[in-house]
Amino acid sequence: MFRFIVRRLLQLVPTLFGLSILLFIWLHRLPGGPETALLGERGTPESRAAIRESLGLNEPIFIQYGRFVKRLVQLDLGTSISTKRAVTTEFLQRFPGTVELTVTAMVIAIGLGIPLGYLAARRRGSFLDQASVGGSLLGTCIPIFFLAYVLKAIFAENLGWFPTIGRQDPTIEATHITNFFVLDGLLTREWDAAGDAIWHLVLPGIALASIPLAIIVRITRASVLEVLGEDFVRTAEAKGLTERTVRRRHVLRNAMLPVATSIGLLTGLLLSGAVLTETVFAFSGIGSFIKDAISNLDYPVLMGFIMIIAVIFALVNLLVDISYSLIDPRVRVR
């Protein structure tokens, strides 16, 4: 297993190297160059020349790229034009909120999607099967921002069951250690703060889980139906094994490979920033911050966040590969 993980990590190096080249080219191909991105259209020739000198843009391209990679390795992603703060600091402050929201959405999607998909496959043609297929189709058709507005209008504004915006009630005195509000509340035993943070995650989590839930239901159903038709399942049933044993050892385990792939990709997509959901609920995550960075042409933030998100995608894919090897040990041999 250790050699398998090391081999997968080494395979990530060319991917990240290629991405760093693309980012470097993108930075230098900006309209007017990087100095225009930093100074704006009103920068004077003198200020532009000073910026080029300070950034080393007058040096050979290979030296510039070497310094660029060195800064990336040192997590020196520059300074935000809008906030005047380090991009790394902005990311570490906002990313925990996106992680909490992503975890909430994926817990809902996985916790409901896999059982529903399995039951729909086992009872093919039944009302449950038709309802699951129809519901999953509806879930993929409804835009997330529309569902978020509906949930917010009904359960937050009209009924008042849930908060409308934010990650936590500002009137609650909470100690923030890691910026994971739920975790901080549990670590400091501030149960009110932890409970309030969880309560703020419910509506945006449900809205964000709609599409992953629909996809997981459909993929699980299709995968289980395919496995149920295999000879080894019929042989296990003919041998007199209990339904629980057949389900756990033969059906679910063999059907989980495509499901694990979809879960990994969906998790990576949600971690890259749930822009619409965070905007509707004024949730301070990286999605809403990236939206503001695009509007303000904050290129250091965009460049830094793209690189970090790419690394996150690579790590999520690594976890998917590891889950493959645990589900099917033959993957390690390949």
Side-chain angles (χ1 to χ4, degrees), residues 242-270:
T242 63
E243 181 181 353
R244 180 179 180 182
T245 302
V246 174
R247 180 179 68 242
R248 180 168 51 88
R249 292 184 179 178
H250 299 282
V251 177
L252 281 178
R253 187 164 187 176
N254 286 280
M256 282 300 103
L257 285 178
V259 178
T261 301
S262 62
I263 290 174
L265 294 175
L266 291 169
T267 302
L269 288 173
L270 297 186

PDB file of all heavy atoms in Angstrom, residues 242-270:
ATOM      1  N   THR A 242     -26.779 -15.749   2.922  1.00  0.00           N
ATOM      2  CA  THR A 242     -27.836 -14.820   3.323  1.00  0.00           C
ATOM      3  C   THR A 242     -27.786 -13.571   2.455  1.00  0.00           C
ATOM      4  O   THR A 242     -26.748 -13.242   1.865  1.00  0.00           O
ATOM      5  CB  THR A 242     -27.679 -14.424   4.793  1.00  0.00           C
ATOM      6  OG1 THR A 242     -26.420 -13.725   4.961  1.00  0.00           O
ATOM      7  CG2 THR A 242     -27.696 -15.647   5.694  1.00  0.00           C
ATOM      8  N   GLU A 243     -28.930 -12.882   2.393  1.00  0.00           N
ATOM      9  CA  GLU A 243     -28.994 -11.672   1.578  1.00  0.00           C
ATOM     10  C   GLU A 243     -28.006 -10.624   2.066  1.00  0.00           C
ATOM     11  O   GLU A 243     -27.404  -9.901   1.268  1.00  0.00           O
ATOM     12  CB  GLU A 243     -30.414 -11.103   1.601  1.00  0.00           C
ATOM     13  CG  GLU A 243     -30.579  -9.859   0.749  1.00  0.00           C
ATOM     14  CD  GLU A 243     -31.988  -9.310   0.815  1.00  0.00           C
ATOM     15  OE1 GLU A 243     -32.858  -9.968   1.412  1.00  0.00           O
ATOM     16  OE2 GLU A 243     -32.202  -8.199   0.261  1.00  0.00           O
ATOM     17  N   ARG A 244     -27.829 -10.532   3.386  1.00  0.00           N
ATOM     18  CA  ARG A 244     -26.893  -9.551   3.943  1.00  0.00           C
ATOM     19  C   ARG A 244     -25.467  -9.848   3.500  1.00  0.00           C
ATOM     20  O   ARG A 244     -24.711  -8.943   3.146  1.00  0.00           O
ATOM     21  CB  ARG A 244     -26.982  -9.562   5.472  1.00  0.00           C
ATOM     22  CG  ARG A 244     -26.053  -8.575   6.138  1.00  0.00           C
ATOM     23  CD  ARG A 244     -26.206  -8.623   7.647  1.00  0.00           C
ATOM     24  NE  ARG A 244     -25.314  -7.688   8.304  1.00  0.00           N
ATOM     25  CZ  ARG A 244     -25.211  -7.550   9.617  1.00  0.00           C
ATOM     26  NH1 ARG A 244     -25.963  -8.308  10.430  1.00  0.00           N
ATOM     27  NH2 ARG A 244     -24.373  -6.672  10.135  1.00  0.00           N
ATOM     28  N   THR A 245     -25.088 -11.114   3.495  1.00  0.00           N
ATOM     29  CA  THR A 245     -23.733 -11.489   3.078  1.00  0.00           C
ATOM     30  C   THR A 245     -23.522 -11.206   1.595  1.00  0.00           C
ATOM     31  O   THR A 245     -22.481 -10.671   1.187  1.00  0.00           O
ATOM     32  CB  THR A 245     -23.483 -12.972   3.369  1.00  0.00           C
ATOM     33  OG1 THR A 245     -23.668 -13.222   4.771  1.00  0.00           O
ATOM     34  CG2 THR A 245     -22.070 -13.372   2.964  1.00  0.00           C
ATOM     35  N   VAL A 246     -24.508 -11.558   0.779  1.00  0.00           N
ATOM     36  CA  VAL A 246     -24.404 -11.295  -0.658  1.00  0.00           C
ATOM     37  C   VAL A 246     -24.314  -9.801  -0.921  1.00  0.00           C
ATOM     38  O   VAL A 246     -23.513  -9.341  -1.752  1.00  0.00           O
ATOM     39  CB  VAL A 246     -25.609 -11.908  -1.398  1.00  0.00           C
ATOM     40  CG1 VAL A 246     -25.593 -11.517  -2.867  1.00  0.00           C
ATOM     41  CG2 VAL A 246     -25.619 -13.426  -1.252  1.00  0.00           C
ATOM     42  N   ARG A 247     -25.135  -9.027  -0.205  1.00  0.00           N
ATOM     43  CA  ARG A 247     -25.144  -7.583  -0.406  1.00  0.00           C
ATOM     44  C   ARG A 247     -23.815  -6.963  -0.012  1.00  0.00           C
ATOM     45  O   ARG A 247     -23.260  -6.143  -0.744  1.00  0.00           O
ATOM     46  CB  ARG A 247     -26.277  -6.953   0.407  1.00  0.00           C
ATOM     47  CG  ARG A 247     -26.361  -5.437   0.265  1.00  0.00           C
ATOM     48  CD  ARG A 247     -27.520  -4.869   1.077  1.00  0.00           C
ATOM     49  NE  ARG A 247     -27.285  -4.994   2.505  1.00  0.00           N
ATOM     50  CZ  ARG A 247     -28.040  -5.693   3.345  1.00  0.00           C
ATOM     51  NH1 ARG A 247     -29.090  -6.359   2.889  1.00  0.00           N
ATOM     52  NH2 ARG A 247     -27.761  -5.768   4.628  1.00  0.00           N
ATOM     53  N   ARG A 248     -23.285  -7.358   1.138  1.00  0.00           N
ATOM     54  CA  ARG A 248     -22.085  -6.699   1.653  1.00  0.00           C
ATOM     55  C   ARG A 248     -20.815  -7.167   0.954  1.00  0.00           C
ATOM     56  O   ARG A 248     -19.967  -6.359   0.599  1.00  0.00           O
ATOM     57  CB  ARG A 248     -21.981  -6.954   3.161  1.00  0.00           C
ATOM     58  CG  ARG A 248     -20.767  -6.323   3.831  1.00  0.00           C
ATOM     59  CD  ARG A 248     -20.903  -6.386   5.351  1.00  0.00           C
ATOM     60  NE  ARG A 248     -21.212  -7.724   5.803  1.00  0.00           N
ATOM     61  CZ  ARG A 248     -20.297  -8.660   6.082  1.00  0.00           C
ATOM     62  NH1 ARG A 248     -19.012  -8.376   5.944  1.00  0.00           N
ATOM     63  NH2 ARG A 248     -20.649  -9.859   6.489  1.00  0.00           N
ATOM     64  N   ARG A 249     -20.673  -8.466   0.746  1.00  0.00           N
ATOM     65  CA  ARG A 249     -19.413  -8.995   0.223  1.00  0.00           C
ATOM     66  C   ARG A 249     -19.337  -8.978  -1.305  1.00  0.00           C
ATOM     67  O   ARG A 249     -18.252  -8.856  -1.869  1.00  0.00           O
ATOM     68  CB  ARG A 249     -19.210 -10.433   0.716  1.00  0.00           C
ATOM     69  CG  ARG A 249     -18.970 -10.548   2.208  1.00  0.00           C
ATOM     70  CD  ARG A 249     -18.678 -11.993   2.574  1.00  0.00           C
ATOM     71  NE  ARG A 249     -18.423 -12.153   3.999  1.00  0.00           N
ATOM     72  CZ  ARG A 249     -18.172 -13.332   4.587  1.00  0.00           C
ATOM     73  NH1 ARG A 249     -18.135 -14.431   3.846  1.00  0.00           N
ATOM     74  NH2 ARG A 249     -17.956 -13.401   5.886  1.00  0.00           N
ATOM     75  N   HIS A 250     -20.465  -9.136  -1.958  1.00  0.00           N
ATOM     76  CA  HIS A 250     -20.418  -9.339  -3.399  1.00  0.00           C
ATOM     77  C   HIS A 250     -20.998  -8.171  -4.191  1.00  0.00           C
ATOM     78  O   HIS A 250     -20.417  -7.768  -5.202  1.00  0.00           O
ATOM     79  CB  HIS A 250     -21.169 -10.625  -3.762  1.00  0.00           C
ATOM     80  CG  HIS A 250     -20.589 -11.855  -3.149  1.00  0.00           C
ATOM     81  ND1 HIS A 250     -19.468 -12.474  -3.648  1.00  0.00           N
ATOM     82  CD2 HIS A 250     -20.971 -12.569  -2.055  1.00  0.00           C
ATOM     83  CE1 HIS A 250     -19.180 -13.530  -2.897  1.00  0.00           C
ATOM     84  NE2 HIS A 250     -20.072 -13.615  -1.931  1.00  0.00           N
ATOM     85  N   VAL A 251     -22.133  -7.624  -3.749  1.00  0.00           N
ATOM     86  CA  VAL A 251     -22.793  -6.595  -4.546  1.00  0.00           C
ATOM     87  C   VAL A 251     -22.192  -5.222  -4.278  1.00  0.00           C
ATOM     88  O   VAL A 251     -21.649  -4.573  -5.182  1.00  0.00           O
ATOM     89  CB  VAL A 251     -24.317  -6.589  -4.283  1.00  0.00           C
ATOM     90  CG1 VAL A 251     -24.978  -5.458  -5.071  1.00  0.00           C
ATOM     91  CG2 VAL A 251     -24.918  -7.930  -4.662  1.00  0.00           C
ATOM     92  N   LEU A 252     -22.278  -4.766  -3.038  1.00  0.00           N
ATOM     93  CA  LEU A 252     -21.865  -3.394  -2.733  1.00  0.00           C
ATOM     94  C   LEU A 252     -20.385  -3.165  -2.994  1.00  0.00           C
ATOM     95  O   LEU A 252     -19.995  -2.143  -3.551  1.00  0.00           O
ATOM     96  CB  LEU A 252     -22.198  -3.068  -1.275  1.00  0.00           C
ATOM     97  CG  LEU A 252     -23.661  -2.716  -0.986  1.00  0.00           C
ATOM     98  CD1 LEU A 252     -23.870  -2.472   0.508  1.00  0.00           C
ATOM     99  CD2 LEU A 252     -24.087  -1.497  -1.772  1.00  0.00           C
ATOM    100  N   ARG A 253     -19.561  -4.117  -2.605  1.00  0.00           N
ATOM    101  CA  ARG A 253     -18.126  -3.909  -2.758  1.00  0.00           C
ATOM    102  C   ARG A 253     -17.730  -3.784  -4.222  1.00  0.00           C
ATOM    103  O   ARG A 253     -16.903  -2.958  -4.591  1.00  0.00           O
ATOM    104  CB  ARG A 253     -17.364  -5.057  -2.101  1.00  0.00           C
ATOM    105  CG  ARG A 253     -15.864  -4.826  -2.072  1.00  0.00           C
ATOM    106  CD  ARG A 253     -15.182  -5.746  -1.098  1.00  0.00           C
ATOM    107  NE  ARG A 253     -13.773  -5.416  -0.945  1.00  0.00           N
ATOM    108  CZ  ARG A 253     -12.960  -6.011  -0.097  1.00  0.00           C
ATOM    109  NH1 ARG A 253     -13.425  -6.973   0.691  1.00  0.00           N
ATOM    110  NH2 ARG A 253     -11.690  -5.657  -0.017  1.00  0.00           N
ATOM    111  N   ASN A 254     -18.331  -4.607  -5.073  1.00  0.00           N
ATOM    112  CA  ASN A 254     -17.992  -4.538  -6.496  1.00  0.00           C
ATOM    113  C   ASN A 254     -18.653  -3.364  -7.193  1.00  0.00           C
ATOM    114  O   ASN A 254     -18.190  -2.930  -8.252  1.00  0.00           O
ATOM    115  CB  ASN A 254     -18.406  -5.843  -7.184  1.00  0.00           C
ATOM    116  CG  ASN A 254     -17.485  -6.997  -6.845  1.00  0.00           C
ATOM    117  OD1 ASN A 254     -16.400  -7.141  -7.395  1.00  0.00           O
ATOM    118  ND2 ASN A 254     -17.917  -7.831  -5.900  1.00  0.00           N
ATOM    119  N   ALA A 255     -19.742  -2.851  -6.619  1.00  0.00           N
ATOM    120  CA  ALA A 255     -20.441  -1.731  -7.247  1.00  0.00           C
ATOM    121  C   ALA A 255     -19.889  -0.377  -6.822  1.00  0.00           C
ATOM    122  O   ALA A 255     -20.280   0.646  -7.392  1.00  0.00           O
ATOM    123  CB  ALA A 255     -21.930  -1.797  -6.898  1.00  0.00           C
ATOM    124  N   MET A 256     -18.990  -0.343  -5.851  1.00  0.00           N
ATOM    125  CA  MET A 256     -18.548   0.933  -5.283  1.00  0.00           C
ATOM    126  C   MET A 256     -17.462   1.634  -6.075  1.00  0.00           C
ATOM    127  O   MET A 256     -17.192   2.818  -5.836  1.00  0.00           O
ATOM    128  CB  MET A 256     -18.059   0.721  -3.840  1.00  0.00           C
ATOM    129  CG  MET A 256     -19.161   0.594  -2.803  1.00  0.00           C
ATOM    130  SD  MET A 256     -20.217   2.059  -2.717  1.00  0.00           S
ATOM    131  CE  MET A 256     -21.653   1.486  -3.610  1.00  0.00           C
ATOM    132  N   LEU A 257     -16.801   0.955  -7.020  1.00  0.00           N
ATOM    133  CA  LEU A 257     -15.717   1.611  -7.748  1.00  0.00           C
ATOM    134  C   LEU A 257     -16.193   2.828  -8.541  1.00  0.00           C
ATOM    135  O   LEU A 257     -15.630   3.919  -8.392  1.00  0.00           O
ATOM    136  CB  LEU A 257     -15.025   0.602  -8.670  1.00  0.00           C
ATOM    137  CG  LEU A 257     -14.106  -0.416  -7.976  1.00  0.00           C
ATOM    138  CD1 LEU A 257     -13.531  -1.383  -8.993  1.00  0.00           C
ATOM    139  CD2 LEU A 257     -12.995   0.289  -7.224  1.00  0.00           C
ATOM    140  N   PRO A 258     -17.206   2.719  -9.400  1.00  0.00           N
ATOM    141  CA  PRO A 258     -17.673   3.937 -10.088  1.00  0.00           C
ATOM    142  C   PRO A 258     -18.282   4.956  -9.148  1.00  0.00           C
ATOM    143  O   PRO A 258     -18.185   6.162  -9.401  1.00  0.00           O
ATOM    144  CB  PRO A 258     -18.712   3.402 -11.086  1.00  0.00           C
ATOM    145  CG  PRO A 258     -19.114   2.073 -10.559  1.00  0.00           C
ATOM    146  CD  PRO A 258     -17.917   1.519  -9.876  1.00  0.00           C
ATOM    147  N   VAL A 259     -18.891   4.486  -8.053  1.00  0.00           N
ATOM    148  CA  VAL A 259     -19.458   5.419  -7.081  1.00  0.00           C
ATOM    149  C   VAL A 259     -18.346   6.211  -6.396  1.00  0.00           C
ATOM    150  O   VAL A 259     -18.464   7.422  -6.193  1.00  0.00           O
ATOM    151  CB  VAL A 259     -20.304   4.662  -6.034  1.00  0.00           C
ATOM    152  CG1 VAL A 259     -20.854   5.621  -4.981  1.00  0.00           C
ATOM    153  CG2 VAL A 259     -21.451   3.928  -6.707  1.00  0.00           C
ATOM    154  N   ALA A 260     -17.247   5.531  -6.064  1.00  0.00           N
ATOM    155  CA  ALA A 260     -16.113   6.227  -5.440  1.00  0.00           C
ATOM    156  C   ALA A 260     -15.532   7.270  -6.379  1.00  0.00           C
ATOM    157  O   ALA A 260     -15.128   8.361  -5.939  1.00  0.00           O
ATOM    158  CB  ALA A 260     -15.036   5.218  -5.041  1.00  0.00           C
ATOM    159  N   THR A 261     -15.486   6.969  -7.669  1.00  0.00           N
ATOM    160  CA  THR A 261     -14.998   7.946  -8.638  1.00  0.00           C
ATOM    161  C   THR A 261     -15.862   9.195  -8.648  1.00  0.00           C
ATOM    162  O   THR A 261     -15.360  10.326  -8.603  1.00  0.00           O
ATOM    163  CB  THR A 261     -14.980   7.327 -10.047  1.00  0.00           C
ATOM    164  OG1 THR A 261     -14.141   6.175 -10.048  1.00  0.00           O
ATOM    165  CG2 THR A 261     -14.457   8.320 -11.065  1.00  0.00           C
ATOM    166  N   SER A 262     -17.183   9.009  -8.707  1.00  0.00           N
ATOM    167  CA  SER A 262     -18.092  10.158  -8.730  1.00  0.00           C
ATOM    168  C   SER A 262     -18.008  10.957  -7.444  1.00  0.00           C
ATOM    169  O   SER A 262     -18.033  12.193  -7.472  1.00  0.00           O
ATOM    170  CB  SER A 262     -19.528   9.687  -8.966  1.00  0.00           C
ATOM    171  OG  SER A 262     -19.972   8.850  -7.912  1.00  0.00           O
ATOM    172  N   ILE A 263     -17.890  10.283  -6.308  1.00  0.00           N
ATOM    173  CA  ILE A 263     -17.792  10.988  -5.032  1.00  0.00           C
ATOM    174  C   ILE A 263     -16.523  11.834  -4.987  1.00  0.00           C
ATOM    175  O   ILE A 263     -16.540  12.987  -4.542  1.00  0.00           O
ATOM    176  CB  ILE A 263     -17.822   9.989  -3.856  1.00  0.00           C
ATOM    177  CG1 ILE A 263     -19.221   9.379  -3.724  1.00  0.00           C
ATOM    178  CG2 ILE A 263     -17.423  10.668  -2.550  1.00  0.00           C
ATOM    179  CD1 ILE A 263     -19.313   8.282  -2.686  1.00  0.00           C
ATOM    180  N   GLY A 264     -15.402  11.284  -5.460  1.00  0.00           N
ATOM    181  CA  GLY A 264     -14.157  12.042  -5.472  1.00  0.00           C
ATOM    182  C   GLY A 264     -14.232  13.269  -6.350  1.00  0.00           C
ATOM    183  O   GLY A 264     -13.812  14.363  -5.948  1.00  0.00           O
ATOM    184  N   LEU A 265     -14.774  13.118  -7.560  1.00  0.00           N
ATOM    185  CA  LEU A 265     -14.879  14.258  -8.462  1.00  0.00           C
ATOM    186  C   LEU A 265     -15.831  15.319  -7.914  1.00  0.00           C
ATOM    187  O   LEU A 265     -15.544  16.518  -7.990  1.00  0.00           O
ATOM    188  CB  LEU A 265     -15.357  13.784  -9.836  1.00  0.00           C
ATOM    189  CG  LEU A 265     -14.383  12.881 -10.612  1.00  0.00           C
ATOM    190  CD1 LEU A 265     -15.022  12.390 -11.893  1.00  0.00           C
ATOM    191  CD2 LEU A 265     -13.086  13.623 -10.912  1.00  0.00           C
ATOM    192  N   LEU A 266     -16.953  14.882  -7.362  1.00  0.00           N
ATOM    193  CA  LEU A 266     -17.920  15.839  -6.814  1.00  0.00           C
ATOM    194  C   LEU A 266     -17.343  16.580  -5.624  1.00  0.00           C
ATOM    195  O   LEU A 266     -17.555  17.790  -5.471  1.00  0.00           O
ATOM    196  CB  LEU A 266     -19.199  15.100  -6.415  1.00  0.00           C
ATOM    197  CG  LEU A 266     -20.035  14.533  -7.572  1.00  0.00           C
ATOM    198  CD1 LEU A 266     -21.112  13.596  -7.041  1.00  0.00           C
ATOM    199  CD2 LEU A 266     -20.660  15.656  -8.380  1.00  0.00           C
ATOM    200  N   THR A 267     -16.611  15.872  -4.777  1.00  0.00           N
ATOM    201  CA  THR A 267     -15.993  16.533  -3.615  1.00  0.00           C
ATOM    202  C   THR A 267     -14.978  17.577  -4.063  1.00  0.00           C
ATOM    203  O   THR A 267     -14.929  18.684  -3.522  1.00  0.00           O
ATOM    204  CB  THR A 267     -15.314  15.491  -2.711  1.00  0.00           C
ATOM    205  OG1 THR A 267     -16.282  14.520  -2.291  1.00  0.00           O
ATOM    206  CG2 THR A 267     -14.721  16.158  -1.480  1.00  0.00           C
ATOM    207  N   GLY A 268     -14.170  17.226  -5.051  1.00  0.00           N
ATOM    208  CA  GLY A 268     -13.206  18.194  -5.571  1.00  0.00           C
ATOM    209  C   GLY A 268     -13.879  19.418  -6.152  1.00  0.00           C
ATOM    210  O   GLY A 268     -13.421  20.549  -5.954  1.00  0.00           O
ATOM    211  N   LEU A 269     -14.983  19.223  -6.869  1.00  0.00           N
ATOM    212  CA  LEU A 269     -15.704  20.355  -7.451  1.00  0.00           C
ATOM    213  C   LEU A 269     -16.278  21.257  -6.364  1.00  0.00           C
ATOM    214  O   LEU A 269     -16.213  22.484  -6.463  1.00  0.00           O
ATOM    215  CB  LEU A 269     -16.819  19.846  -8.361  1.00  0.00           C
ATOM    216  CG  LEU A 269     -16.394  19.219  -9.691  1.00  0.00           C
ATOM    217  CD1 LEU A 269     -17.589  18.613 -10.409  1.00  0.00           C
ATOM    218  CD2 LEU A 269     -15.731  20.265 -10.578  1.00  0.00           C
ATOM    219  N   LEU A 270     -16.842  20.669  -5.325  1.00  0.00           N
ATOM    220  CA  LEU A 270     -17.424  21.484  -4.259  1.00  0.00           C
ATOM    221  C   LEU A 270     -16.341  22.227  -3.485  1.00  0.00           C
ATOM    222  O   LEU A 270     -16.532  23.380  -3.083  1.00  0.00           O
ATOM    223  CB  LEU A 270     -18.244  20.602  -3.305  1.00  0.00           C
ATOM    224  CG  LEU A 270     -19.462  19.898  -3.909  1.00  0.00           C
ATOM    225  CD1 LEU A 270     -20.253  19.186  -2.809  1.00  0.00           C
ATOM    226  CD2 LEU A 270     -20.352  20.868  -4.654  1.00  0.00           C
TER     227      LEU A 270
END
